[in-house]
Amino acid sequence: LNVAENSLNEVVVIGYGSAKRADVTSSIASISEKDFKNLPVSGADQALQGKLAGVTVNSNGGQPGGGVSVRVRGFTSVNGNEPLYVVDGVPIFSSATSFNFSGLGGGGGQSSNSILASLNPNDIQSIDVLKDASAQAIYGSVAANGVILITTKHGKAGEGKISYDAYYGQQYLPRRLDIMNLQDFAKYQNEIAAETNQTPTPEFGDPSVLGDGTNWQDAIFQTGKIQNHQLSFSGGQNKTTYYFSMNYFDQQGLLLNSKFKRYSLRANIDHQVKTWLKAGFSINAGRSEQRITLADEQDGTITQALLLSPVISIRNLDGTYGGQSSFGGYTYYTQSNPVAQADNRKNTSDISKVYGSIYGDFKLASFLTYRSELNYDFQMTQNQAFQASYAAGTAIYQSDLFKQANNSFFWAWKNYVNFNKEFDKHNISATVGHENWLSSYEYLQAEVQRLNTNGQIAINNNGSTPILPQGATFKSAQESWFARAGYTYNNRYSLNLSFRADASSNFGPNNKWGYFPAASIGWTVTNEKFAENIKWLDYLKLRIGGGAVGNQNPPSGSPSPPYTQLIRFISNGFGPGNFVRN
């Protein structure tokens, strides 16, 4: 191991404060701006891929801007496994719901935006991942799946800087499945006819004179294009520092008609009001527009392209879509035209999101500070699944429209005191604080079938009676107390303790409070005198810790109240059993 001295003195964000890496006794992994700068990714969660041990990142279907599964040390909960994201102290809870209505929506988690789709990765200064329970316990009942702390860029005192960054790239499908062309398909059909004592199709009499037919993989896959533009201003003078950025991101996916766009603005301003008071605010405003494909559906575009016969053409000579075809009394098709489906199913998810914080830091003494912070997060989501009426061969598809509108609002108020004192060979730190937050979410959805025209995508363009609209409102609240203490002696021995108590409306009436203690110790072996002569060992630190964390999130589609048991008992052909509702 080659460890630089400055890496041990660097500051690590640990939640409600920071600490020197040399004093950390929990499992915390970090990456900085240089580790993911200029990566062609739409979200910060994708930038984590392959960067940190114990953090697994998978893309669900490859949808541009689509769902990304992040797992911190594997699966840890029966009710969702996505970690908690905290951006500059603001917890980001996902309220974008996937939708699958009448077969028009996506599947496999790809039909919703990534939770960090509105955050420009180029605005990020560092990412710290709390991987074990002793580090996560300070976030209590929302930390069971790990915590990812994101710190964005702030201005620095000095001459103002203007920066413009841009890149453009293309994406290609490296290989495709080897499937039958028209000649292979004709030979196969002739063999089946012989085996089943059927009359061979006349058009397949001499397969050698046939061409390749339709390659449906070529038809649905395209060259992906991606571009990103960012303009930022940063600097500061006297007592004020600032950072402003504007970003435009555009990605056209590999699958026909898949695309994602993001527009974002960010501002961070910090001002030294008095020698004892520093105040500031941050705001991130973004809008993302996503065109969703049916890549993961059982009868989706890719599946149909692999199963559809090469006999069928993409379009007929008159310009209409190709479809069901018969020769000699046999029908050679298994699925509908995937190009027609991609052109006529316009499924979109548009999200407008504004979040940030306002804070005041009060310096009570050289070793004691008090911070009061207000967080906010407002999001509006418009989901739409639309299929135009069209014909493909002899198959007729009726128009269908499903719309869903979601609004969510979150605010939190935190107040905590940080103590940090060094003297002789001792370093003592402590944090004590209180937090409460309120979250509300509502949705409204409606559907109409057989629209009068394809040109007006609206519920009131009804060719039939709209299905009865549905909607609901959900609210949750939480109050928390938390404390943390750390002690390091002579840069060798470290002890850290933390405790959090959460009272949540998601808990049952007889268990309104949850308690989450944690402890960890560390021993830096290489700082001992006996290790000075071990030349082959640069740095060695032993640590052990443990703690309690929880998952208070109500399950998707949970009954009322949300704390009802998740285990359901069933009987089937194999005997009695049970399953976990999620």
Side-chain angles (χ1 to χ4, degrees):
L1 297 175
N2 295 319
V3 179
E5 181 65 24
N6 59 0
S7 67
L8 299 178
N9 291 326
E10 70 179 4
V11 174
V12 179
V13 180
I14 56 176
Y16 306 100
S18 59
K20 289 195 305 182
R21 181 169 293 279
D23 296 336
V24 173
T25 56
S26 301
S27 181
I28 301 177
S30 306
I31 59 174
S32 60
E33 174 192 7
K34 61 182 176 61
D35 295 311
F36 53 83
K37 186 177 181 180
N38 296 328
L39 285 179
V41 295
S42 60
D45 42 11
Q46 298 176 15
L48 294 173
Q49 191 166 21
K51 299 292 184 181
L52 299 172
V55 179
T56 305
V57 180
N58 292 314
S59 177
N60 298 329
Q63 170 71 41
V68 176
S69 294
V70 179
R71 299 290 180 265
V72 178
R73 291 188 171 178
F75 293 86
T76 57
S77 177
V78 298
N79 178 27
N81 281 273
E82 292 299 318
L84 170 67
Y85 294 91
V86 181
V87 181
D88 290 337
V90 184
I92 306 298
F93 297 100
S94 176
S95 59
T97 57
S98 60
F99 56 97
N100 190 341
F101 199 86
S102 300
L104 295 181
Q110 65 151 12
S111 58
S112 63
N113 289 105
S114 166
I115 187 174
L116 295 179
S118 62
L119 178 62
N120 175 18
N122 290 335
D123 285 337
I124 296 175
Q125 183 67 41
S126 64
I127 300 177
D128 298 280
V129 181
L130 311 184
K131 298 197 295 183
D132 68 356
S134 63
Q136 300 161 359
I138 196 66
Y139 284 97
S141 61
V142 291
N145 303 321
V147 182
I148 297 179
L149 306 175
I150 299 176
T151 303
T152 62
K153 297 177 182 178
H154 286 251
K156 298 180 180 180
E159 184 178 357
K161 296 181 180 180
I162 301 176
S163 176
Y164 173 72
D165 296 308
Y167 63 78
Y168 174 84
Q170 293 185 336
Q171 298 172 307
Y172 304 91
L173 196 65
R175 67 182 182 89
R176 298 177 183 178
L177 295 179
D178 185 17
I179 58 178
M180 291 186 291
N181 60 20
L182 183 54
Q183 291 186 11
D184 297 330
F185 184 74
K187 294 176 183 178
Y188 173 71
Q189 292 296 329
N190 289 339
E191 292 174 359
I192 292 180
E195 291 288 340
T196 57
N197 297 321
Q198 301 290 330
T199 303
T201 301
E203 289 83 357
F204 293 164
D206 185 3
S208 63
V209 302
L210 300 175
D212 291 333
T214 301
N215 187 319
W216 288 104
Q217 292 185 87
D218 288 344
I220 65 168
F221 290 117
Q222 61 186 6
T223 298
K225 300 176 182 179
I226 182 172
Q227 62 176 313
N228 183 77
H229 303 272
Q230 170 161 317
L231 180 64
S232 62
F233 308 88
S234 64
Q237 57 183 352
N238 297 329
K239 299 180 180 181
T240 303
T241 59
Y242 60 87
Y243 176 86
F244 302 99
S245 73
M246 297 176 286
N247 174 251
Y248 170 72
F249 179 86
D250 184 11
Q251 181 179 6
Q252 297 181 12
L254 293 174
L255 197 60
L256 185 64
N257 288 328
S258 63
K259 60 186 66 176
F260 174 79
K261 288 185 179 181
R262 179 184 61 234
Y263 312 86
S264 68
L265 297 171
R266 184 164 192 88
N268 289 338
I269 296 181
D270 305 282
H271 180 66
Q272 193 72 44
V273 182
K274 298 288 184 180
T275 56
W276 49 269
L277 173 61
K278 184 178 181 180
F281 72 88
S282 66
I283 182 172
N284 188 94
R287 177 172 173 81
S288 59
E289 300 173 353
Q290 184 183 36
R291 174 77 179 266
I292 301 167
T293 60
L294 304 185
D296 289 350
E297 287 289 289
Q298 183 177 0
D299 60 344
T301 309
I302 296 178
T303 301
Q304 294 180 35
L306 297 177
L307 298 178
L308 194 56
S309 166
V311 171
I312 300 175
S313 61
I314 300 175
R315 288 184 178 271
N316 300 315
L317 294 178
D318 60 0
T320 59
Y321 291 107
Q324 302 173 5
S325 301
S326 299
F327 298 96
Y330 304 106
T331 301
Y332 298 108
Y333 68 93
T334 55
Q335 301 288 312
S336 61
N337 188 324
V339 174
Q341 182 192 69
D343 289 341
N344 290 281
R345 284 196 181 178
K346 299 178 182 178
N347 298 349
T348 59
S349 181
D350 300 333
I351 297 179
S352 299
K353 188 178 184 71
V354 178
Y355 63 92
S357 63
I358 303 172
Y359 76 91
D361 276 335
F362 300 83
K363 188 175 182 180
L364 307 180
S366 60
F367 53 86
L368 187 65
T369 60
Y370 163 67
R371 184 181 179 94
S372 183
E373 180 180 325
L374 179 66
N375 304 146
Y376 59 90
D377 182 358
F378 177 70
Q379 178 171 302
M380 295 184 297
T381 305
Q382 299 288 330
N383 291 330
Q384 174 182 284
F386 171 67
Q387 176 178 282
S389 59
Y390 70 97
T394 58
I396 305 297
Y397 298 89
Q398 300 294 336
S399 58
D400 198 345
L401 173 63
F402 168 66
K403 279 182 172 288
Q404 182 186 79
N406 307 323
N407 293 323
S408 65
F409 178 72
F410 167 87
W411 68 263
W413 188 25
K414 308 172 187 175
N415 294 274
Y416 55 94
V417 176
N418 281 324
F419 173 92
N420 199 316
K421 182 73 172 179
E422 290 188 36
F423 56 93
D424 296 331
K425 298 179 181 181
H426 309 277
N427 183 5
I428 301 175
S429 63
T431 300
V432 178
H434 175 266
E435 176 182 12
N436 50 34
W437 57 257
L438 176 67
S439 176
S440 63
Y441 167 80
E442 64 177 357
Y443 79 93
L444 180 65
Q445 64 185 37
E447 183 193 18
V448 63
Q449 299 175 342
R450 291 179 172 82
L451 280 70
N452 293 325
T453 64
N454 288 332
Q456 184 182 5
I457 306 177
I459 294 296
N460 62 358
N461 181 23
N462 59 305
S464 64
T465 302
I467 295 175
L468 184 66
Q470 298 180 4
T473 300
F474 305 94
K475 289 187 177 182
S476 62
Q478 179 175 299
E479 181 181 13
S480 305
W481 294 91
F482 55 89
R484 179 175 54 221
Y487 172 73
T488 300
Y489 173 74
N490 200 21
N491 293 323
R492 298 179 186 177
Y493 315 108
S494 300
L495 168 67
N496 283 281
L497 305 171
S498 70
F499 180 81
R500 184 177 180 113
D502 286 340
S504 172
S505 60
N506 289 331
F507 294 162
N510 299 323
N511 296 280
K512 278 299 182 184
W513 285 90
Y515 303 100
F516 308 92
S520 60
I521 57 175
W523 175 31
T524 306
V525 180
T526 46
N527 286 346
E528 299 285 358
K529 290 185 177 180
F530 66 79
E532 293 178 354
N533 297 324
I534 305 178
K535 303 300 181 183
W536 53 269
L537 186 61
D538 294 307
Y539 184 78
L540 175 62
K541 184 174 185 176
L542 304 179
R543 64 171 183 253
I544 185 172
V549 291
N551 184 353
Q552 63 151 293
N553 300 325
S556 175
S558 64
S560 181
Y563 43 79
T564 300
Q565 64 181 9
L566 297 179
I567 302 298
R568 299 292 186 268
F569 294 95
I570 60 174
S571 298
N572 53 49
F574 299 98
N578 62 75
F579 69 93
V580 177
R581 178 171 183 164
N582 56 33

